[in-house]
Amino acid sequence: LCLNWARKVSVPPGPLVRVEGQTLSLRCEVSDYEGPPEQDFDWKATRGSETINVISTFDSSFPDQSLKDRVISEDIRVQRLGDSTVELRIRESKVTDSATYTCSTPSTDSVISGNYHANVQLTVIADMLVLVPEAPVSSVTEGRSISLRCNISYDFVEGIYLSVTYSIKKEHSLEEDIFTFGPDVGVTVGLNFTRRYADGGMHLHMDSGGSYSLVLSGAVPADEGMYVCAARQWTREQGVWNRIQEKTAVMGQVAVVPTGEDGLQTFTVALDSPVVAQYLGEPTELVCKVTNISLFRWERLGVSWFYSVASPSNDQRTTDIIASLNENGALVPSEKYRSRIASGHIVVTQMEPATFKLHLLHTANTDAGEYACSVMTWAPTRHGNWKKSSEHRSHALTVRLASKGPGVSVAARIVRPATSTGSTFEMACQARLKNLQAGISLSVLILVQESIGAPNRKLASLNPDLILKLEDWLESSRKDSLSLLKSGREEFRFRIQGVQLTDKGFYSCEVGVWTRQDRNEWAEVAKADSNKVLLTFDHTRPSFELSISSDTSSIYPWETVKMECIVSVSGTSPNTDDVAYEIRWYLSPLRGSDSLTLLASMDRWGMVKKSPRNDSSDCSLERLRAQRFTLNIHGTQDSDAGEYYCTATPWIRSGISGVWSKEPDLISKRVFLNVKFALWDSIKLPLLYGTCASLSVGLFSLILGFVCARCCCRNTTHTPRSRIKLMDLEID
């Protein structure tokens, strides 16, 4: 079985720009890796040709000497968000923090593949944003204009954008945005000011000197309040606006003086509660009535419902808008209450022209507090639109439950402690309920904390329908060893069979109380966390060491080399039948790919697997003894030269439960194998072939010459001339 891994380390795409003095964070995440789930990270910073160490998740001595004081004071720190995600956080950034930051992860992979570091460029600019508001006129007559002026100066930096926001803070209500310009060229108008802006009752003036003036025409009593100006700087990162700095200044209080009888008419608003819930789940009705309605013959009425409650940490009250009915009678829900209004649990209606009603179908504990209504009058304009002319708010009415809903407390205790690896751990979660009503169901969530201060990890849960769900249970092979059930009306039991070292930690329960809503859906009304119980046991396991040896370090091609991987045990040695090993052999070649090559492996059951090979050489893996494993390379070639090492993973079987538990991996040292170049072996075959070819060509040439001489060159008979004729010629 071959698995192709390609580790990927990622950081935010840069370049990033931040402002001096602000808090900044750089996230780093690794994926597609082998080894333990929790990975370690190193951060480095490069400025020019100089690179310094910043911080590490596992080496406290890693930071550079120039940064140690900031690391000790936690001005620079690394925050782990998960096993494979961390953030480098700088609490108070400096201009000198500008650098290219490198996040790297040490390798835990069996094969080097992918990227092990990623870079992001960070620029920290000086804080040059200055906000100077001008105090507005403290008192304005109704119908006049309100001028709000803010002076803003800053140094232009490419990639940084500015936005200006005007807001108002009224008594007993949260700050509400009126108008925002930027960070792009667009504008954003507050929810209650859209009609006014569309009617031309609001406009912004800008000049080249950095002055921004917002003018509100036709002041109404609702414009009375404390005005605030805010300047923000933004960057565009991954298509999303990211705010990097904000400065806010109070401009001043503005009072709007009504015109009295010569101007707009006044009216009163009364709030009543004909139906108030006494117990959890009962309905509540609030009625808002307007008097002197005959004075507003040509105007329309609208209403807004508000809810406020005192903060448990201080005496300040927070106010939320529930919903509004505008001048057209259309319902405008707030984001916080949108889902309850859409599902019909909250109903806002206009019963009569001057009467409005708020109906809570099922009152919950979170609904206890103060309620108020605000009635607005809308007058027609010459353009055929409607303009808000006045607004009056009722007194606050308190809604409280005579009997509190179900309160819950949870106590966790150990039923069966774990004594050793392989034993069983069991704990009970006992819930105690107050004012338990019919139709209530309980849920439970089991949490574990590996150490004090570490984040909680969810293990398993039972929902109100008692359906079990494994949450962040990391070992799928052991999922059958975990159980969670409801053992009583208010008690749950959690059990882990065959505990291992990785199960140590602090365990707790989170119990929730649920009730069914109208649509037969569960809604949580209360929850509580238990105390923590500790799962721990003495670990007296043996310790293992791994060594490697080779019968030779230099061989000729086609020879066989033998290497041994030896596991030694110290401490309490287990029986031979109670320990097994997973063995893997790796080769780091001299040339070619830098990645490691898995040659062969043997699982703890003795099954051997070999990786495919392209060369003519072959390898074999065998176990000579219980703790001695041999790798043989047959018919070695040049490609077999390199560094060899082996890894071993011990498995120990518990003598109590018979459950196998995995020990940490062991890695041996490396041995080097050199394949020599054999001169005679490399030339003997070419020499033999050349000699034979030369002899064959010579012999063929001799035979060919002999045949040609015999067949082509024949001898002729010579006839001698007569001596008598010669003599006669001489005489003549």
Side-chain angles (χ1 to χ4, degrees):
L1 179 63
C2 295
L3 296 177
N4 294 324
W5 298 90
R7 175 183 291 248
K8 180 180 180 182
V9 178
S10 58
V11 295
L16 303 179
V17 181
R18 297 295 183 266
V19 179
E20 181 181 18
Q22 303 295 313
T23 299
L24 65 85
S25 62
L26 301 176
R27 178 170 294 193
C28 182
E29 182 176 2
V30 61
S31 60
D32 299 335
Y33 58 88
E34 293 182 291
E38 183 174 286
Q39 294 287 294
D40 289 310
F41 296 83
D42 296 334
W43 283 95
K44 297 181 180 179
T46 302
R47 303 180 186 91
S49 59
E50 180 186 5
T51 300
I52 62 174
N53 297 336
V54 179
I55 199 169
S56 173
T57 59
F58 69 97
D59 186 2
S60 59
S61 63
F62 184 78
D64 187 78
Q65 187 66 33
S66 61
L67 300 177
K68 281 195 173 181
D69 291 341
R70 297 179 68 185
V71 173
I72 293 175
S73 64
E74 293 191 348
D75 183 41
I76 298 177
R77 65 189 181 96
V78 60
Q79 179 71 36
R80 185 176 290 278
L81 304 181
D83 290 340
S84 59
T85 307
V86 298
E87 272 190 354
L88 172 65
R89 296 183 178 179
I90 301 179
R91 183 171 53 199
E92 188 173 347
S93 58
K94 302 178 180 179
V95 176
T96 54
D97 292 329
S98 299
T100 297
Y101 286 81
T102 301
C103 174
S104 59
T105 60
S107 174
T108 59
D109 305 328
S110 59
V111 176
I112 303 299
S113 180
N115 68 306
Y116 288 76
H117 65 272
N119 301 328
V120 59
Q121 181 181 347
L122 171 68
T123 301
V124 181
I125 64 174
D127 182 8
M128 301 300 293
L129 180 64
V130 179
L131 173 63
V132 181
E134 296 183 10
V137 178
S138 60
S139 180
V140 177
T141 304
E142 187 175 0
R144 294 296 187 91
S145 297
I146 301 175
S147 180
L148 307 171
R149 186 182 182 92
C150 271
N151 299 312
I152 302 173
S153 64
Y154 64 98
D155 286 350
F156 174 76
V157 177
E158 186 177 359
I160 295 183
Y161 303 84
L162 178 71
S163 72
V164 182
T165 299
Y166 293 89
S167 56
I168 184 172
K169 175 69 170 64
K170 299 180 182 180
E171 187 178 5
H172 305 303
S173 65
L174 297 176
E175 187 174 305
E176 181 183 7
D177 288 347
I178 302 174
F179 183 90
T180 299
F181 173 73
D184 51 9
V185 296
V187 298
T188 303
V189 182
L191 180 64
N192 293 327
F193 297 89
T194 54
R195 176 60 65 183
R196 189 173 191 171
Y197 178 75
D199 293 340
M202 180 192 308
H203 50 275
L204 180 70
H205 297 283
M206 297 180 292
D207 59 29
S208 58
S211 176
Y212 298 81
S213 298
L214 180 67
V215 179
L216 303 178
S217 304
V220 295
D223 294 332
E224 186 172 307
M226 181 71 70
Y227 286 87
V228 180
C229 178
R232 302 180 178 96
Q233 288 184 310
W234 305 76
T235 60
R236 190 76 170 176
E237 298 174 4
Q238 303 181 54
V240 178
W241 288 107
N242 178 46
R243 185 174 63 195
I244 62 174
Q245 188 182 22
E246 176 179 355
K247 290 190 177 180
T248 304
V250 176
M251 305 182 70
Q253 180 79 25
V254 176
V256 178
V257 180
T259 58
E261 295 182 359
D262 296 332
L264 298 174
Q265 302 291 341
T266 60
F267 59 90
T268 58
V269 179
L271 182 62
D272 190 18
S273 54
V275 178
V276 178
Q278 296 296 312
Y279 298 97
L280 179 74
E282 292 184 349
T284 296
E285 287 186 2
L286 302 176
V287 177
C288 185
K289 293 185 178 181
V290 180
T291 60
N292 300 331
I293 188 61
S294 60
L295 299 176
F296 303 94
R297 180 178 302 176
W298 306 109
E299 293 181 311
R300 294 181 179 179
L301 297 181
V303 69
S304 294
W305 289 95
F306 297 91
Y307 166 78
S308 63
V309 64
S311 174
S313 58
N314 49 53
D315 295 334
Q316 296 183 356
R317 303 189 68 85
T318 58
T319 302
D320 296 319
I321 183 171
I322 301 173
S324 300
L325 290 177
N326 62 17
E327 69 278 12
N328 297 316
L331 177 63
V332 182
S334 67
E335 287 297 328
K336 183 175 181 179
Y337 291 88
R338 183 181 300 275
S339 60
R340 294 183 65 185
I341 293 175
S343 62
H345 296 141
I346 297 179
V347 180
V348 178
T349 57
Q350 185 174 8
M351 301 172 60
E352 298 176 0
T355 304
F356 303 90
K357 184 173 72 172
L358 174 68
H359 181 72
L360 305 179
L361 193 60
H362 295 285
T363 308
N365 285 332
T366 54
D367 294 327
E370 291 186 355
Y371 290 81
C373 65
S374 179
V375 177
M376 295 82 67
T377 60
W378 299 82
T381 66
R382 63 177 182 271
H383 302 293
N385 299 321
W386 293 92
K387 178 181 178 180
K388 185 168 66 174
S389 56
S390 64
E391 180 177 358
H392 292 270
R393 192 182 182 114
S394 73
H395 64 279
L397 186 65
T398 302
V399 173
R400 60 171 59 92
L401 297 178
S403 176
K404 294 292 183 181
V408 59
S409 61
V410 189
R413 59 184 176 87
I414 297 178
V415 178
R416 186 187 305 179
T419 57
S420 62
T421 303
S423 59
T424 299
F425 169 77
E426 184 177 352
M427 77 173 189
C429 300
Q430 180 67 48
R432 294 179 177 85
L433 300 175
K434 298 178 181 179
N435 305 317
L436 181 63
Q437 303 292 330
I440 285 179
S441 182
L442 301 181
S443 67
V444 65
L445 173 65
I446 305 299
L447 304 169
V448 62
Q449 189 179 29
E450 295 181 359
S451 60
I452 297 178
N456 284 325
R457 179 165 59 91
K458 300 176 182 179
L459 291 184
S461 63
L462 281 178
N463 65 8
D465 295 319
L466 299 182
I467 298 176
L468 175 64
K469 178 184 178 182
L470 295 181
E471 301 285 350
D472 297 334
W473 183 251
L474 302 177
E475 302 180 58
S476 58
S477 60
R478 296 179 55 214
K479 62 182 180 180
D480 294 336
S481 63
L482 182 147
S483 64
L484 176 62
L485 52 88
K486 189 173 184 180
S487 56
R489 183 187 179 193
E490 301 173 3
E491 184 183 72
F492 298 89
R493 289 290 180 97
F494 173 70
R495 181 185 300 115
I496 301 178
Q497 295 179 343
V499 297
Q500 297 189 11
L501 290 176
T502 55
D503 297 326
K504 286 187 175 183
F506 297 88
Y507 287 75
S508 61
C509 320
E510 180 184 284
V511 174
V513 181
W514 302 75
T515 183
R516 288 194 181 274
Q517 299 289 356
D518 290 342
R519 299 187 179 183
N520 209 29
E521 297 178 353
W522 288 109
E524 189 177 46
V525 295
K527 68 177 179 180
D529 295 327
S530 73
N531 57 300
K532 300 182 184 297
V533 297
L534 178 62
L535 190 165
T536 186
F537 48 85
D538 295 332
H539 179 59
T540 58
R541 289 185 171 278
S543 59
F544 299 88
E545 292 184 358
L546 189 63
S547 60
I548 188 173
S549 64
S550 175
D551 59 353
T552 181
S553 61
S554 182
I555 60 173
Y556 289 102
W558 301 103
E559 292 184 349
T560 299
V561 64
K562 177 181 178 182
M563 303 179 190
E564 288 191 355
C565 188
I566 304 171
V567 182
S568 57
V569 185
S570 59
T572 305
S573 180
N575 296 328
T576 304
D577 295 337
D578 292 335
V579 63
Y581 303 95
E582 292 179 1
I583 303 296
R584 292 169 292 277
W585 280 90
Y586 294 94
L587 166 63
S588 178
L590 292 176
R591 61 180 182 274
S593 175
D594 294 334
S595 62
L596 297 174
T597 301
L598 176 63
L599 299 176
S601 64
M602 177 185 293
D603 61 17
R604 57 190 172 117
W605 311 114
M607 182 69 68
V608 176
K609 295 181 180 179
K610 296 193 300 182
S611 300
R613 300 175 62 86
N614 296 326
D615 297 329
S616 57
S617 62
D618 194 9
C619 67
S620 62
L621 175 60
E622 58 182 338
R623 180 173 60 189
L624 298 181
R625 298 173 189 166
Q627 299 170 356
R628 188 180 295 268
F629 303 85
T630 300
L631 175 71
N632 294 295
I633 307 296
H634 309 280
T636 55
Q637 300 295 321
D638 291 343
S639 59
D640 295 318
E643 292 183 333
Y644 289 79
Y645 73 94
C646 62
T647 65
T649 304
W651 287 77
I652 299 179
R653 182 169 56 187
S654 171
I656 300 175
S657 63
V659 176
W660 289 91
S661 60
K662 182 180 178 181
E663 295 293 309
D665 291 343
L666 308 174
I667 302 178
S668 72
K669 295 181 179 179
R670 301 193 178 198
V671 295
F672 180 75
L673 177 64
N674 179 35
V675 180
K676 297 180 180 179
F677 178 72
L679 179 60
W680 172 244
D681 290 340
S682 63
I683 67 174
K684 63 182 181 180
L685 289 179
L687 184 60
L688 178 60
Y689 295 154
T691 302
C692 293
S694 300
L695 292 175
S696 299
V697 172
L699 182 59
F700 176 75
S701 300
L702 290 176
I703 296 173
L704 181 62
F706 179 76
V707 172
C708 291
R710 295 289 295 175
C711 298
C712 299
C713 300
R714 297 181 178 178
N715 293 331
T716 59
T717 304
H718 176 68
T719 305
R721 302 177 65 181
S722 174
R723 289 186 65 185
I724 297 174
K725 290 183 177 182
L726 273 175
M727 291 178 64
D728 291 339
L729 289 173
E730 288 177 357
I731 292 174
D732 292 338

